[in-house]
Coordinates of all heavy atoms in Angstrom, one line a residue:
L250 N 13.2 45.9 -45.0 CA 13.8 47.2 -45.3 C 15.1 47.0 -46.0 O 16.0 46.2 -45.5 CB 14.1 48.0 -43.9 CG 14.7 49.3 -44.0 CD1 13.8 50.3 -44.7 CD2 15.1 49.8 -42.6
P251 N 15.3 47.5 -47.2 CA 16.5 47.2 -47.9 C 17.7 47.9 -47.3 O 17.6 48.9 -46.6 CB 16.2 47.8 -49.3 CG 15.1 48.8 -49.1 CD 14.3 48.3 -47.9
A252 N 18.9 47.4 -47.6 CA 20.1 48.0 -47.1 C 20.3 49.5 -47.5 O 21.0 50.2 -46.9 CB 21.3 47.2 -47.5
T253 N 19.6 49.8 -48.6 CA 19.7 51.2 -49.1 C 18.5 52.1 -48.6 O 18.3 53.2 -49.1 CB 19.7 51.2 -50.6 OG1 18.6 50.6 -51.1 CG2 21.0 50.6 -51.1
G254 N 17.7 51.5 -47.7 CA 16.6 52.3 -47.2 C 17.0 53.5 -46.4 O 18.2 53.8 -46.3
P255 N 16.0 54.3 -46.0 CA 16.3 55.6 -45.4 C 17.1 55.4 -44.1 O 16.9 54.4 -43.3 CB 14.9 56.1 -44.9 CG 13.9 55.4 -45.8 CD 14.6 54.0 -46.1
P256 N 18.2 56.2 -43.9 CA 19.1 56.0 -42.8 C 18.4 56.0 -41.4 O 18.8 55.3 -40.6 CB 20.0 57.2 -42.9 CG 20.0 57.6 -44.3 CD 18.6 57.3 -44.8
I257 N 17.4 56.8 -41.3 CA 16.7 56.9 -40.0 C 16.0 55.5 -39.7 O 16.1 55.0 -38.6 CB 15.6 58.0 -40.0 CG1 16.4 59.4 -39.9 CG2 14.7 57.9 -38.8 CD1 15.5 60.6 -40.0
A258 N 15.4 55.0 -40.7 CA 14.7 53.7 -40.5 C 15.8 52.6 -40.2 O 15.6 51.7 -39.4 CB 13.9 53.3 -41.8
R259 N 16.9 52.6 -41.0 CA 18.0 51.6 -40.7 C 18.5 51.8 -39.3 O 18.7 50.8 -38.6 CB 19.1 51.8 -41.8 CG 18.7 51.4 -43.2 CD 19.9 51.3 -44.1 NE 21.0 52.1 -43.8 CZ 21.3 53.3 -44.5 NH1 20.5 53.7 -45.4 NH2 22.4 54.0 -44.2
C260 N 18.7 53.0 -38.9 CA 19.2 53.2 -37.5 C 18.3 52.6 -36.5 O 18.7 51.9 -35.6 CB 19.4 54.7 -37.3 SG 19.9 55.1 -35.6
R261 N 17.0 52.9 -36.6 CA 16.0 52.4 -35.6 C 15.9 50.9 -35.6 O 15.9 50.3 -34.6 CB 14.7 53.1 -35.8 CG 14.7 54.6 -35.5 CD 13.4 55.3 -35.6 NE 12.4 54.7 -34.7 CZ 12.2 55.1 -33.5 NH1 12.9 56.1 -33.0 NH2 11.3 54.5 -32.7
R262 N 16.0 50.3 -36.8 CA 15.9 48.9 -36.9 C 17.2 48.3 -36.3 O 17.0 47.3 -35.5 CB 15.8 48.5 -38.4 CG 15.9 46.9 -38.5 CD 16.1 46.4 -39.9 NE 17.4 46.9 -40.4 CZ 17.7 46.9 -41.7 NH1 16.8 46.6 -42.6 NH2 18.9 47.3 -42.1
E263 N 18.3 48.7 -36.6 CA 19.6 48.2 -36.1 C 19.6 48.4 -34.6 O 20.1 47.5 -33.8 CB 20.8 48.8 -36.7 CG 20.9 48.6 -38.2 CD 21.1 47.1 -38.5 OE1 21.5 46.3 -37.7 OE2 20.9 46.7 -39.7
N264 N 19.2 49.5 -34.1 CA 19.1 49.7 -32.6 C 18.2 48.7 -31.9 O 18.6 48.2 -30.9 CB 18.7 51.2 -32.3 CG 19.2 51.7 -31.0 OD1 20.4 51.5 -30.6 ND2 18.3 52.3 -30.2
G265 N 17.0 48.5 -32.5 CA 16.1 47.6 -31.9 C 16.6 46.2 -31.9 O 16.5 45.4 -30.9
L266 N 17.2 45.8 -33.1 CA 17.8 44.4 -33.1 C 19.0 44.3 -32.2 O 19.1 43.2 -31.5 CB 18.3 44.2 -34.6 CG 17.2 43.9 -35.6 CD1 17.7 43.9 -37.0 CD2 16.4 42.6 -35.3
G267 N 19.8 45.3 -32.0 CA 20.9 45.3 -31.1 C 20.4 45.0 -29.7 O 21.0 44.2 -29.0
W268 N 19.4 45.8 -29.2 CA 18.9 45.6 -27.8 C 18.3 44.2 -27.7 O 18.5 43.6 -26.6 CB 17.9 46.7 -27.5 CG 18.6 48.0 -27.1 CD1 18.5 49.2 -27.8 CD2 19.4 48.3 -26.0 NE1 19.3 50.1 -27.2 CE2 19.8 49.6 -26.1 CE3 19.8 47.5 -24.9 CZ2 20.6 50.2 -25.1 CZ3 20.6 48.2 -23.9 CH2 21.0 49.5 -24.1
S269 N 17.6 43.8 -28.7 CA 17.0 42.4 -28.6 C 18.1 41.4 -28.5 O 18.0 40.5 -27.6 CB 16.2 42.2 -29.9 OG 15.1 43.1 -29.9
H270 N 19.1 41.4 -29.3 CA 20.2 40.4 -29.2 C 20.9 40.5 -27.9 O 21.3 39.5 -27.3 CB 21.2 40.6 -30.4 CG 20.6 40.0 -31.7 ND1 20.4 38.7 -31.9 CD2 20.3 40.7 -32.8 CE1 19.9 38.5 -33.1 NE2 19.8 39.7 -33.7
L271 N 21.1 41.7 -27.4 CA 21.7 41.9 -26.1 C 20.9 41.2 -25.0 O 21.5 40.5 -24.1 CB 21.9 43.4 -25.8 CG 22.9 43.7 -24.7 CD1 24.3 43.2 -24.9 CD2 22.9 45.2 -24.4
K272 N 19.6 41.4 -25.0 CA 18.7 40.8 -24.0 C 18.8 39.3 -24.1 O 18.6 38.6 -23.1 CB 17.3 41.3 -24.2 CG 17.1 42.7 -23.9 CD 17.1 43.0 -22.4 CE 16.8 44.5 -22.2 NZ 17.0 44.9 -20.9
L273 N 19.0 38.8 -25.3 CA 19.1 37.3 -25.5 C 20.5 36.7 -25.2 O 20.7 35.5 -25.3 CB 18.7 37.0 -27.0 CG 17.3 37.2 -27.4 CD1 17.1 37.1 -28.9 CD2 16.3 36.3 -26.6
G274 N 21.4 37.6 -24.9 CA 22.7 37.2 -24.5 C 23.7 37.0 -25.7 O 24.8 36.5 -25.5
A275 N 23.3 37.5 -26.8 CA 24.1 37.4 -28.0 C 24.9 38.7 -28.2 O 24.6 39.6 -29.1 CB 23.3 37.1 -29.3
R276 N 25.9 38.9 -27.3 CA 26.6 40.2 -27.3 C 27.3 40.6 -28.6 O 27.3 41.7 -29.0 CB 27.6 40.2 -26.1 CG 28.2 41.5 -25.9 CD 29.0 41.5 -24.6 NE 28.2 41.4 -23.4 CZ 27.6 42.5 -22.8 NH1 27.8 43.7 -23.2 NH2 26.8 42.3 -21.7
V277 N 27.9 39.6 -29.2 CA 28.6 39.9 -30.5 C 27.7 40.4 -31.6 O 28.0 41.4 -32.2 CB 29.4 38.6 -31.0 CG1 30.0 38.9 -32.3 CG2 30.5 38.3 -29.9
R278 N 26.6 39.7 -31.7 CA 25.5 40.1 -32.7 C 25.0 41.5 -32.3 O 24.8 42.3 -33.2 CB 24.4 39.1 -32.8 CG 24.9 37.8 -33.5 CD 23.8 36.9 -33.7 NE 23.0 37.3 -34.8 CZ 21.9 36.7 -35.2 NH1 21.5 35.6 -34.6 NH2 21.2 37.2 -36.3
A279 N 24.8 41.7 -31.0 CA 24.2 43.0 -30.6 C 25.2 44.1 -30.9 O 24.8 45.2 -31.4 CB 24.0 43.0 -29.1
E280 N 26.5 43.9 -30.7 CA 27.5 44.9 -31.0 C 27.6 45.2 -32.5 O 27.7 46.4 -32.9 CB 28.9 44.4 -30.5 CG 29.9 45.5 -30.7 CD 31.3 45.1 -30.0 OE1 31.3 44.2 -29.2 OE2 32.3 45.8 -30.4
R281 N 27.4 44.2 -33.4 CA 27.4 44.4 -34.8 C 26.2 45.3 -35.2 O 26.3 46.3 -36.0 CB 27.3 43.1 -35.6 CG 28.7 42.5 -35.8 CD 28.7 41.4 -36.7 NE 28.3 40.2 -35.8 CZ 27.8 39.1 -36.2 NH1 27.6 38.8 -37.4 NH2 27.6 38.1 -35.3
H282 N 25.0 45.1 -34.6 CA 23.9 45.9 -34.9 C 24.1 47.3 -34.3 O 23.7 48.3 -34.9 CB 22.6 45.3 -34.3 CG 22.1 44.1 -35.1 ND1 21.6 44.2 -36.3 CD2 22.1 42.8 -34.7 CE1 21.2 43.0 -36.8 NE2 21.5 42.1 -35.8
A283 N 24.7 47.4 -33.2 CA 25.0 48.7 -32.6 C 25.9 49.6 -33.5 O 25.6 50.7 -33.7 CB 25.6 48.6 -31.2
E284 N 26.9 48.9 -34.0 CA 27.8 49.6 -34.9 C 27.1 50.1 -36.2 O 27.3 51.2 -36.6 CB 29.0 48.7 -35.3 CG 30.0 48.5 -34.2 CD 30.9 47.3 -34.4 OE1 30.7 46.6 -35.4 OE2 31.9 47.2 -33.6
A285 N 26.2 49.2 -36.7 CA 25.4 49.6 -37.9 C 24.5 50.8 -37.5 O 24.2 51.7 -38.4 CB 24.7 48.4 -38.4
S286 N 23.9 50.7 -36.3 CA 23.0 51.8 -35.9 C 23.8 53.1 -35.8 O 23.2 54.2 -36.2 CB 22.4 51.4 -34.6 OG 21.5 52.4 -34.2
V287 N 25.0 53.1 -35.3 CA 25.8 54.3 -35.2 C 26.1 54.9 -36.6 O 25.9 56.1 -36.8 CB 27.1 54.1 -34.4 CG1 28.0 55.3 -34.5 CG2 26.8 53.8 -32.9
A288 N 26.4 54.0 -37.5 CA 26.7 54.5 -38.8 C 25.5 55.0 -39.5 O 25.6 56.1 -40.2 CB 27.3 53.3 -39.7
A289 N 24.4 54.4 -39.4 CA 23.1 54.9 -40.0 C 22.7 56.2 -39.4 O 22.2 57.1 -40.1 CB 22.0 53.8 -39.9
A290 N 22.9 56.3 -38.1 CA 22.5 57.6 -37.4 C 23.4 58.7 -38.0 O 22.9 59.8 -38.2 CB 22.7 57.5 -35.9
G291 N 24.6 58.5 -38.2 CA 25.5 59.5 -38.8 C 25.1 59.8 -40.2 O 25.1 61.0 -40.6
D292 N 24.7 58.8 -41.0 CA 24.2 59.1 -42.3 C 22.9 59.9 -42.3 O 22.7 60.7 -43.3 CB 23.9 57.8 -43.1 CG 25.2 57.0 -43.4 OD1 26.3 57.6 -43.3 OD2 25.1 55.8 -43.7
S293 N 22.1 59.7 -41.3 CA 20.8 60.5 -41.3 C 21.0 61.9 -40.7 O 20.1 62.7 -40.9 CB 19.8 59.7 -40.4 OG 20.1 59.9 -39.0
G294 N 22.1 62.1 -40.0 CA 22.3 63.4 -39.4 C 21.5 63.7 -38.1 O 21.4 64.8 -37.7
S295 N 21.0 62.6 -37.5 CA 20.2 62.8 -36.3 C 21.1 62.6 -35.1 O 21.5 61.4 -34.8 CB 19.1 61.8 -36.3 OG 18.4 61.8 -35.0
L296 N 21.4 63.6 -34.4 CA 22.2 63.5 -33.2 C 21.5 62.7 -32.1 O 22.1 62.0 -31.3 CB 22.5 64.9 -32.6 CG 23.6 65.6 -33.4 CD1 23.8 67.0 -32.9 CD2 24.9 64.9 -33.4
R297 N 20.2 62.8 -32.0 CA 19.4 62.1 -31.0 C 19.5 60.6 -31.2 O 19.8 59.8 -30.3 CB 17.9 62.5 -31.0 CG 17.1 62.0 -29.8 CD 15.8 62.7 -29.7 NE 15.2 62.6 -28.4 CZ 14.6 61.5 -28.0 NH1 14.5 60.4 -28.8 NH2 14.1 61.4 -26.8
L298 N 19.4 60.2 -32.5 CA 19.5 58.8 -32.8 C 20.9 58.3 -32.6 O 21.2 57.2 -32.2 CB 19.0 58.5 -34.2 CG 17.5 58.5 -34.5 CD1 17.2 58.3 -35.9 CD2 16.8 57.6 -33.6
R299 N 21.9 59.2 -32.9 CA 23.3 58.8 -32.7 C 23.6 58.6 -31.2 O 24.3 57.6 -30.9 CB 24.2 59.9 -33.3 CG 25.7 59.5 -33.2 CD 26.5 60.4 -34.1 NE 27.9 60.0 -34.1 CZ 28.5 59.1 -34.8 NH1 27.7 58.3 -35.6 NH2 29.8 58.8 -34.7
A300 N 23.0 59.4 -30.4 CA 23.2 59.2 -28.9 C 22.6 57.9 -28.5 O 23.3 57.2 -27.7 CB 22.6 60.4 -28.2
K301 N 21.5 57.6 -29.0 CA 20.8 56.3 -28.6 C 21.7 55.1 -29.1 O 21.9 54.1 -28.4 CB 19.4 56.1 -29.2 CG 18.4 57.0 -28.5 CD 17.1 56.8 -29.2 CE 16.0 57.6 -28.6 NZ 14.7 57.3 -29.2
A302 N 22.2 55.2 -30.3 CA 23.1 54.2 -30.9 C 24.4 54.0 -30.1 O 24.8 52.9 -29.8 CB 23.3 54.4 -32.4
L303 N 24.9 55.2 -29.7 CA 26.2 55.1 -28.9 C 25.9 54.5 -27.6 O 26.8 53.8 -27.0 CB 26.7 56.5 -28.8 CG 27.5 57.1 -30.0 CD1 27.7 58.6 -29.7 CD2 28.7 56.4 -30.2
N304 N 24.8 54.8 -27.0 CA 24.4 54.2 -25.7 C 24.3 52.6 -25.8 O 24.8 51.9 -24.9 CB 23.1 54.7 -25.2 CG 22.7 54.2 -23.8 OD1 23.5 54.3 -22.9 ND2 21.6 53.6 -23.7
L305 N 23.8 52.1 -26.9 CA 23.7 50.7 -27.1 C 25.1 50.1 -27.3 O 25.5 49.1 -26.7 CB 22.9 50.4 -28.3 CG 22.9 48.9 -28.8 CD1 22.4 48.0 -27.8 CD2 22.1 48.8 -30.1
L306 N 25.9 50.8 -28.1 CA 27.3 50.3 -28.3 C 28.1 50.4 -27.0 O 28.8 49.4 -26.7 CB 28.0 51.2 -29.4 CG 29.3 50.7 -29.9 CD1 29.2 49.3 -30.4 CD2 29.8 51.7 -30.9
A307 N 27.9 51.4 -26.2 CA 28.5 51.5 -24.9 C 28.1 50.3 -24.0 O 28.9 49.7 -23.2 CB 28.2 52.8 -24.2
T308 N 26.9 49.9 -24.0 CA 26.4 48.8 -23.2 C 27.0 47.5 -23.7 O 27.4 46.7 -22.9 CB 24.8 48.8 -23.3 OG1 24.3 50.0 -22.8 CG2 24.3 47.7 -22.4
C309 N 27.0 47.3 -25.0 CA 27.6 46.1 -25.6 C 29.1 45.9 -25.2 O 29.5 44.8 -24.9 CB 27.5 46.1 -27.1 SG 25.8 45.9 -27.7
R310 N 29.8 47.0 -25.2 CA 31.2 47.0 -25.0 C 31.6 47.3 -23.5 O 32.8 47.3 -23.2 CB 32.0 48.0 -25.9 CG 31.9 47.6 -27.3 CD 32.6 48.6 -28.2 NE 32.6 48.3 -29.6 CZ 33.0 49.1 -30.6 NH1 33.5 50.2 -30.3 NH2 32.9 48.7 -31.8
D311 N 30.6 47.7 -22.7 CA 30.9 48.1 -21.4 C 31.9 49.2 -21.4 O 33.0 49.1 -20.7 CB 31.3 46.9 -20.5 CG 31.2 47.3 -19.0 OD1 30.4 48.2 -18.7 OD2 31.9 46.7 -18.2
D312 N 31.7 50.2 -22.2 CA 32.6 51.3 -22.5 C 32.1 52.6 -21.9 O 31.2 53.3 -22.5 CB 32.9 51.4 -24.0 CG 34.0 52.4 -24.3 OD1 34.2 53.3 -23.6 OD2 34.6 52.2 -25.4
P313 N 32.7 53.1 -20.8 CA 32.2 54.4 -20.2 C 32.5 55.6 -21.1 O 31.8 56.6 -21.1 CB 32.9 54.5 -18.9 CG 34.0 53.5 -19.0 CD 33.7 52.5 -20.0
T314 N 33.5 55.5 -22.0 CA 33.8 56.6 -22.9 C 32.7 56.8 -23.9 O 32.3 58.0 -24.2 CB 35.2 56.4 -23.6 OG1 36.2 56.2 -22.6 CG2 35.5 57.5 -24.5
L315 N 32.2 55.7 -24.5 CA 31.1 55.8 -25.4 C 29.8 56.4 -24.7 O 29.1 57.2 -25.3 CB 30.8 54.5 -26.1 CG 31.8 54.0 -27.1 CD1 31.5 52.5 -27.5 CD2 31.9 54.9 -28.3
R316 N 29.6 55.9 -23.5 CA 28.4 56.4 -22.8 C 28.5 57.9 -22.5 O 27.6 58.7 -22.6 CB 28.2 55.6 -21.5 CG 26.8 55.9 -20.9 CD 26.4 55.0 -19.8 NE 26.7 53.6 -19.9 CZ 26.1 52.7 -20.7 NH1 25.1 53.1 -21.4 NH2 26.5 51.5 -20.7
A317 N 29.7 58.3 -22.2 CA 30.0 59.8 -22.0 C 29.7 60.6 -23.2 O 29.2 61.7 -23.2 CB 31.4 60.0 -21.5
R318 N 30.1 60.0 -24.4 CA 29.8 60.7 -25.7 C 28.3 60.8 -25.9 O 27.8 61.9 -26.3 CB 30.4 59.9 -26.8 CG 31.9 60.1 -26.9 CD 32.5 59.3 -28.1 NE 31.9 59.6 -29.4 CZ 32.1 58.8 -30.4 NH1 32.7 57.7 -30.4 NH2 31.5 59.2 -31.6
A319 N 27.5 59.8 -25.5 CA 26.1 59.8 -25.7 C 25.5 60.8 -24.7 O 24.6 61.6 -25.1 CB 25.5 58.4 -25.4
R320 N 26.0 60.9 -23.5 CA 25.5 61.9 -22.5 C 25.8 63.3 -23.0 O 25.0 64.2 -22.8 CB 26.1 61.6 -21.2 CG 25.6 60.4 -20.5 CD 26.2 60.3 -19.1 NE 25.7 59.1 -18.4 CZ 26.4 58.3 -17.8 NH1 27.7 58.5 -17.6 NH2 25.9 57.2 -17.2
A321 N 27.0 63.5 -23.6 CA 27.4 64.8 -24.0 C 26.4 65.3 -25.1 O 26.0 66.5 -25.2 CB 28.8 64.8 -24.5
I322 N 26.1 64.4 -26.0 CA 25.1 64.8 -27.1 C 23.8 65.2 -26.5 O 23.2 66.2 -26.8 CB 24.9 63.6 -28.1 CG1 26.2 63.4 -28.9 CG2 23.8 63.9 -29.0 CD1 26.2 62.2 -29.7
A323 N 23.3 64.4 -25.5 CA 22.0 64.7 -24.9 C 22.1 66.0 -24.2 O 21.1 66.8 -24.2 CB 21.6 63.6 -23.9
R324 N 23.2 66.3 -23.5 CA 23.3 67.6 -22.9 C 23.3 68.8 -23.9 O 22.7 69.8 -23.7 CB 24.6 67.7 -22.0 CG 24.5 67.1 -20.7 CD 25.7 67.5 -19.8 NE 27.0 67.2 -20.4 CZ 27.6 66.0 -20.3 NH1 27.0 65.0 -19.7 NH2 28.8 65.8 -20.9
R325 N 24.1 68.6 -25.0 CA 24.1 69.7 -26.0 C 22.7 69.9 -26.6 O 22.4 71.0 -27.0 CB 25.1 69.3 -27.1 CG 26.6 69.6 -26.6 CD 27.6 69.6 -27.7 NE 27.5 68.3 -28.5 CZ 28.2 67.2 -28.3 NH1 29.0 67.2 -27.2 NH2 28.2 66.2 -29.1
L326 N 22.0 68.8 -26.7 CA 20.6 69.0 -27.3 C 19.6 69.5 -26.2 O 18.5 69.8 -26.6 CB 20.1 67.6 -27.8 CG 20.8 67.0 -29.0 CD1 20.3 65.6 -29.4 CD2 20.7 68.0 -30.2
E327 N 20.1 69.5 -25.0 CA 19.2 69.9 -23.9 C 18.0 69.0 -23.8 O 16.9 69.5 -23.6 CB 18.8 71.4 -24.0 CG 20.1 72.3 -23.9 CD 19.7 73.8 -24.0 OE1 18.5 74.1 -24.2 OE2 20.6 74.6 -23.9
D328 N 18.2 67.8 -24.0 CA 17.1 66.8 -24.0 C 17.2 65.9 -22.8 O 17.9 64.9 -22.7 CB 17.3 65.9 -25.3 CG 16.1 64.9 -25.5 OD1 15.4 64.6 -24.5 OD2 15.9 64.6 -26.7
E329 N 16.4 66.4 -21.8 CA 16.5 65.7 -20.4 C 15.9 64.3 -20.5 O 16.4 63.4 -19.8 CB 15.7 66.5 -19.4 CG 15.8 66.0 -18.0 CD 17.2 66.0 -17.5 OE1 18.0 66.8 -17.8 OE2 17.5 65.1 -16.7
A330 N 14.9 64.1 -21.3 CA 14.4 62.7 -21.4 C 15.4 61.7 -22.0 O 15.6 60.6 -21.5 CB 13.1 62.7 -22.3
L331 N 16.2 62.2 -23.0 CA 17.2 61.4 -23.5 C 18.4 61.2 -22.5 O 18.8 60.1 -22.3 CB 17.8 62.1 -24.8 CG 18.8 61.3 -25.6 CD1 18.3 60.0 -26.1 CD2 19.3 62.2 -26.8
A332 N 18.7 62.2 -21.8 CA 19.8 62.1 -20.8 C 19.4 61.1 -19.7 O 20.3 60.4 -19.2 CB 20.1 63.5 -20.2
M333 N 18.1 61.1 -19.4 CA 17.7 60.2 -18.3 C 17.9 58.7 -18.7 O 18.1 57.9 -17.9 CB 16.2 60.4 -18.0 CG 15.9 61.7 -17.4 SD 16.0 61.8 -15.6 CE 14.8 60.5 -15.1
R334 N 17.8 58.4 -20.0 CA 18.0 57.0 -20.5 C 19.4 56.5 -20.3 O 19.7 55.3 -20.2 CB 17.8 57.0 -22.0 CG 16.3 57.1 -22.4 CD 16.3 57.1 -23.9 NE 14.9 57.1 -24.3 CZ 14.4 56.4 -25.3 NH1 15.2 55.7 -26.1 NH2 13.1 56.5 -25.7
F335 N 20.4 57.5 -20.2 CA 21.8 57.1 -20.1 C 22.3 57.1 -18.7 O 23.5 56.9 -18.5 CB 22.6 58.1 -20.9 CG 22.2 58.2 -22.4 CD1 22.3 59.4 -23.1 CD2 21.5 57.2 -23.0 CE1 21.9 59.5 -24.4 CE2 21.1 57.3 -24.3 CZ 21.3 58.4 -25.0
R336 N 21.4 57.2 -17.7 CA 21.9 57.2 -16.3 C 21.9 55.8 -15.8 O 21.2 54.9 -16.2 CB 21.0 58.1 -15.5 CG 21.2 59.5 -15.8 CD 20.6 60.4 -14.9 NE 20.8 61.8 -15.3 CZ 19.9 62.7 -15.4 NH1 18.7 62.5 -15.1 NH2 20.3 63.9 -15.9

């Protein structure tokens, strides 16, 4: 996928790579992918993907403020399945 590919695809790719690196213990690399995922989600205009990306970034940084932002988005979208992911 090129760097200029569709933002939704870039967001999903970066999010997947971020979680993979986090599971492998590569927290710094995971955080870089999480930041890229947040940016791509913003470019795509998808609040649901942005919430998922923020959740990954919150996990990488152990940041409750970021997780609260992800939960707030899920609440505003009234997406219970998404909100369950953040508990």
Side-chain angles (χ1 to χ4, degrees):
L250 181 67
T253 58
I257 290 174
R259 290 192 331 259
C260 176
R261 292 184 59 91
R262 177 191 62 198
E263 296 295 342
N264 203 48
L266 288 169
W268 283 111
S269 296
H270 285 293
L271 194 61
K272 295 284 185 189
L273 292 170
R276 187 170 292 273
V277 172
R278 289 184 76 181
E280 187 172 341
R281 276 187 275 161
H282 286 292
E284 290 167 348
S286 182
V287 170
D292 290 346
S293 75
S295 173
L296 286 175
R297 190 167 199 281
L298 288 178
R299 186 164 179 84
K301 288 180 175 184
L303 284 170
N304 184 54
L305 171 58
L306 189 57
T308 302
C309 290
R310 294 182 180 171
D311 196 23
D312 185 336
T314 304
L315 289 172
R316 191 168 322 282
R318 285 177 59 196
R320 286 183 183 137
I322 291 170
R324 275 194 307 277
R325 284 193 304 272
L326 293 174
E327 297 178 0
D328 189 331
E329 187 58 34
L331 185 61
M333 294 273 301
R334 290 176 175 219
F335 307 150
R336 291 190 181 132

